Amino acid sequence: MTDLSSRVRAAVAGVTDPELRRPLGELDMVRDVHVDGGTAHVGIALTIVGCPAADRIARDVTDAAGAVTGVDAVDLQVGVMTPEERRALTDKLRDGRPARQMPFGPDSLTRVIAVTSGKGGVGKSSITANLAVSLAARGLAVGLIDADVHGFSIPGLLGMVGPDGHAPVPTRIDDLMLPPVAHGVKAVSIGMFLRRGDADGPVGAVAWRGPMLHRTVQQFLTDVFFGDLDVLLLDMPPGTGDVAISVGQLLPHAEVLVVTTPQPAASDVAVRSGLVARQTGQRLIGVVENMAAMTMPDGTELDVFGAGGGRAVADALATDAEPVDVVASVPLSPAFRAAGDVGVPGVVADPADPASRAVAALANRIASQPRHLSGRSLPLRPW
C-alpha cells in the first residue's frame, strides 16, 4: 500500500460511528482502500442493511478521505457486514461478556442512580432528564433508562420525538440494541417501540403486569449497548410497585434519589418509595424538592405548593447509619416547564433560569462525589 493510501486508510479508520461511538477502524468496518490517479477508492461495511446512520457515516468518511493531501476525489463503496462479522463485532462490544449478562452488576464502576417518587406529577422525569443532560455536559458518559413503562416521557423531554410524533427506534445489531443519543445522553424507553394507530391518534398505551414489566426492565439493562458509562440514571415509575421491586432485585447496589414537592400530600408518600429502596439494599443519596418557592420580580417568594416537604422526607428517611439530606431545591419555573414541553431540556434552553441552576448544582454535587465502592471487587490484578 502506498503512503497516500495508508494516510487515507488512517483518516477513514478514525471516523467515529455515531451510534456505537467508536472509530470505524476499531469496529473493523473499513474495507479496501487505495488511491488511483488522485481518486481515493474507499470501501466500508455498515453493521446492518438500512443502518440509520448510513448517510452520516458516508458523509464523514468522504470528508475524511477528501481532506487528505493528494486526494482530488473520493469513490466510496458501501457494503454490509456478514453475519459472522456482526457476531465478531457484538462479541467485541460486549468485551467478552456472555449475551444477556448484566453489565451493571456489583463489580461495575458505573454509578447507577434510580430517581424515584411516591406519586406522579412531582416532576421526577423532568429532574431526571435535565440531570442526565447536565452530567453529560460535564464530560461524563451518561445513560438513561426510562423505567416508567406506563408513563414514559423521557423521549419527549430530550427532544427525541420527531414531527410524526414518534421517537427513534433503537438500531438492532443481532441481539444488541443501540440507544439513540440526545444532548450527549444515551437513552432508551418503551416509547421508542410504540407507534400511532393513525396519523392523528395517540401513541399506543402499555397495559402490562408484573412479569412483562420485569422482563422489559431486564432487557433494557442487558440487551441495550450503552458502552462504558460513568453514570446510569433510571427514571422510575412513581410508587412502590412491580418496577421498583424488579429494579431492587436487579440492581440492589443502586443509589436512590427521592423526588418530592413541598406539600404534605407528596412528601408523605415519597417516604414510602425511599423505604422500599432501602429494604432492597439500595442506598439513599438524598432528596430533591421540586417546584419549591419561586422568586417573583419584586423579590417576594411565591410558594404555590407550600414549603418544607423535602426536609420532612429527608428527616423521615434519615437513620444514624445513613443520614439523608435535601441535595437540591428546584424552584417552580414556567420557563423550565415550557422548555421540556417542546423537547428542549431547561438546562439547555436557559442555563441561567433558577431551576436550571439548581439542577446544574445537583449535577456538580453528584459528579464530585466518589463512587460508592463498599462491598465491590475492583478489577485489579496482582503482578
Side-chain angles (χ1 to χ4, degrees):
M1 181 180 292
T2 66
D3 179 63
L4 181 55
S5 296
S6 298
R7 286 190 282 122
V8 172
R9 173 174 282 277
V12 171
V15 172
T16 298
D17 183 296
E19 291 186 304
L20 294 171
R21 299 299 177 100
R22 293 191 186 182
L24 301 187
E26 182 181 325
L27 299 172
D28 297 323
M29 294 172 65
V30 183
R31 295 296 181 261
D32 178 61
V33 176
H34 66 277
V35 179
D36 181 14
T39 298
H41 300 273
V42 178
I44 61 172
L46 301 179
T47 53
I48 58 173
V49 176
C51 173
D55 290 343
R56 178 174 170 182
I57 293 174
R59 183 174 62 252
D60 290 349
V61 167
T62 301
D63 291 344
V68 176
T69 301
V71 172
D72 300 320
V74 178
D75 173 33
L76 178 63
Q77 300 295 319
V78 180
V80 179
M81 284 184 167
T82 65
E84 292 75 18
E85 289 171 331
R86 278 197 300 276
R87 280 194 292 271
L89 174 60
T90 55
D91 288 344
K92 177 181 291 188
L93 294 176
R94 290 195 188 96
D95 196 23
R97 291 191 306 271
R100 290 186 163 82
Q101 183 183 59
M102 167 70 73
F104 305 111
D107 296 337
S108 169
L109 293 181
T110 298
R111 191 171 185 186
V112 180
I113 301 175
V115 186
T116 71
S117 68
K119 63 189 292 293
V122 300
K124 167 187 52 62
S125 296
S126 293
I127 294 295
T128 308
N130 279 274
L131 177 59
V133 173
S134 290
L135 289 169
R138 282 151 182 76
L140 299 179
V142 181
L144 173 53
I145 291 178
D146 189 353
D148 193 352
V149 176
H150 293 134
F152 55 87
S153 57
I154 291 299
L157 290 168
L158 290 179
M160 290 179 163
V161 177
D164 61 355
H166 295 155
V169 179
T171 301
R172 181 178 287 275
I173 303 177
D174 292 342
D175 58 356
L176 280 185
M177 289 184 286
L178 308 182
V181 181
H183 305 287
V185 176
K186 299 177 181 179
V188 66
S189 169
I190 196 66
M192 297 172 177
F193 301 91
L194 302 178
R195 290 296 179 259
R196 299 176 186 273
D198 57 72
D200 299 322
V203 172
V206 177
W208 292 343
R209 300 179 71 178
M212 285 293 290
L213 295 173
H214 180 88
R215 179 60 178 155
T216 299
V217 174
Q218 187 175 47
Q219 282 192 287
F220 282 169
L221 288 168
T222 59
D223 293 1
V224 177
F225 176 71
F226 287 101
D228 294 328
L229 295 180
D230 294 304
V231 181
L232 174 66
L233 295 173
L234 285 85
D235 182 35
M236 299 289 290
T240 57
D242 291 315
V243 173
I245 296 170
S246 292
V247 170
Q249 293 173 340
L250 295 167
L251 300 167
H253 58 286
E255 299 172 293
V256 175
L257 274 175
V258 179
V259 179
T260 184
T261 47
Q263 79 270 34
S267 61
D268 287 350
V269 294
V271 173
R272 300 171 202 160
S273 66
L275 291 175
V276 167
R278 180 175 283 150
Q279 288 170 8
T280 62
Q282 296 171 330
R283 188 173 74 96
L284 300 175
I285 59 173
V287 174
V288 176
E289 185 180 67
N290 194 29
M291 305 184 200
M294 62 184 297
T295 302
M296 305 299 287
D298 62 359
T300 60
E301 289 193 342
L302 177 63
D303 52 351
V304 177
F305 295 101
R311 183 72 266 163
V313 173
D315 290 344
L317 291 173
T319 66
D320 291 339
E322 187 180 21
V324 179
D325 198 6
V326 178
V327 292
S329 182
V330 183
L332 185 67
S333 168
F336 191 80
R337 185 274 309 163
D341 285 346
V342 297
V344 182
V347 293
V348 174
D350 186 2
D353 182 84
S356 297
R357 292 203 305 268
V359 174
L362 174 60
N364 284 335
R365 180 168 182 161
I366 290 175
S368 65
Q369 291 175 341
R371 290 183 177 90
H372 184 59
L373 300 177
S374 175
R376 302 189 194 184
S377 62
L378 299 180
L380 301 177
R381 297 174 181 170
W383 290 97

